[in-house]
Amino acid sequence: ICLYKDGEIENLNQSISTPVQFGQINTLQFDNNKVWIADNRNGVMSIKQDNSGQISLLHLNGIPTNEKIKSILHDKLGNLWILTPKKLYVSNGGAFSVIRQIGNLYLNNLHTIVASGPNHFWVANDEGLVEIDDEKHRVFLQHILKKTVKITSMAQDEKGRIWVATFGQGIICFNP
């Protein structure tokens, strides 16, 4: 782990309490004073810096390290959502629960997740975007794309539009 400071890259590996070799880092998510990291080798970890500047690395319990983590989301209600290709894990600070199906939609070929409000999410899969109301545990709306598009990330702007980044297909803007 490195820190960019004053035009230089400073290696911080010596100050981390658990030495880890990272694989491909798939996603980063910020939460208060933590950075959540998911890679192909170690599962989900958090990096936290205390007031003295000491950095610690913690592995997240409850998520198998052999799961390929595609996306992490920390929502406004304090829940941590972890997306794998076939499962969605959620925790409100306690143990993780696993979601494999919402309503009549089985979660398969998942790519990324973005929150659009409390208990309201967009999940991208091979077929397109799925709008989910988690409070009612139902699929709210599904936008099917006419051809398979590899979605790599999503973001929502202040007007409520969902911006979708793809591999080789550019950027798609949904205006629900």
Side-chain angles (χ1 to χ4, degrees):
I1 296 175
C2 299
L3 176 67
Y4 181 82
K5 183 178 177 183
D6 299 326
E8 298 289 326
I9 297 176
E10 178 183 339
N11 188 337
L12 299 178
N13 280 332
Q14 284 72 21
S15 63
I16 294 176
S17 60
T18 306
V20 169
Q21 283 193 336
F22 287 96
Q24 172 184 319
I25 296 177
N26 297 330
T27 186
L28 298 171
Q29 175 69 46
F30 295 93
D31 160 29
N32 298 324
N33 200 24
K34 289 183 193 169
V35 179
W36 294 96
I37 299 172
D39 76 355
N40 287 346
R41 187 179 286 169
N42 302 291
V44 179
M45 299 159 287
S46 68
I47 297 174
K48 185 174 183 175
Q49 188 169 17
D50 64 19
N51 292 335
S52 70
Q54 180 66 32
I55 295 176
S56 60
L57 180 68
L58 303 168
H59 284 272
L60 183 63
N61 294 324
I63 306 294
T65 57
N66 65 344
E67 290 271 21
K68 181 175 183 181
I69 308 299
K70 302 284 279 192
S71 188
I72 300 173
L73 171 69
H74 187 263
D75 69 21
K76 292 178 182 175
L77 299 175
N79 300 312
L80 185 63
W81 299 81
I82 297 176
L83 188 82
T84 72
K86 294 186 179 195
K87 296 177 201 160
L88 184 56
Y89 292 90
V90 64
S91 171
N92 61 0
F96 278 92
S97 58
V98 180
I99 302 170
R100 289 186 173 95
Q101 180 180 351
I102 298 174
N104 61 359
L105 177 73
Y106 288 94
L107 301 178
N108 282 313
N109 303 313
L110 302 174
H111 299 292
T112 189
I113 184 172
V114 66
S116 57
N119 295 310
H120 199 254
F121 306 92
W122 291 85
V123 175
N125 63 16
D126 281 350
E127 288 78 40
L129 301 182
V130 179
E131 191 175 5
I132 297 170
D133 181 336
D134 182 55
E135 192 170 56
K136 296 177 183 167
H137 299 287
R138 68 183 181 102
V139 174
F140 187 66
L141 185 60
Q142 188 165 10
H143 296 276
I144 305 294
L145 299 173
K146 293 183 179 179
K147 64 179 184 173
T148 300
V149 174
K150 183 173 180 189
I151 296 172
T152 57
S153 67
M154 293 188 298
Q156 184 180 33
D157 68 17
E158 65 280 349
K159 294 180 181 176
R161 297 175 296 197
I162 304 296
W163 293 84
V164 180
T166 70
F167 184 78
Q169 301 291 320
I171 296 192
I172 302 166
C173 180
F174 281 95
N175 194 3

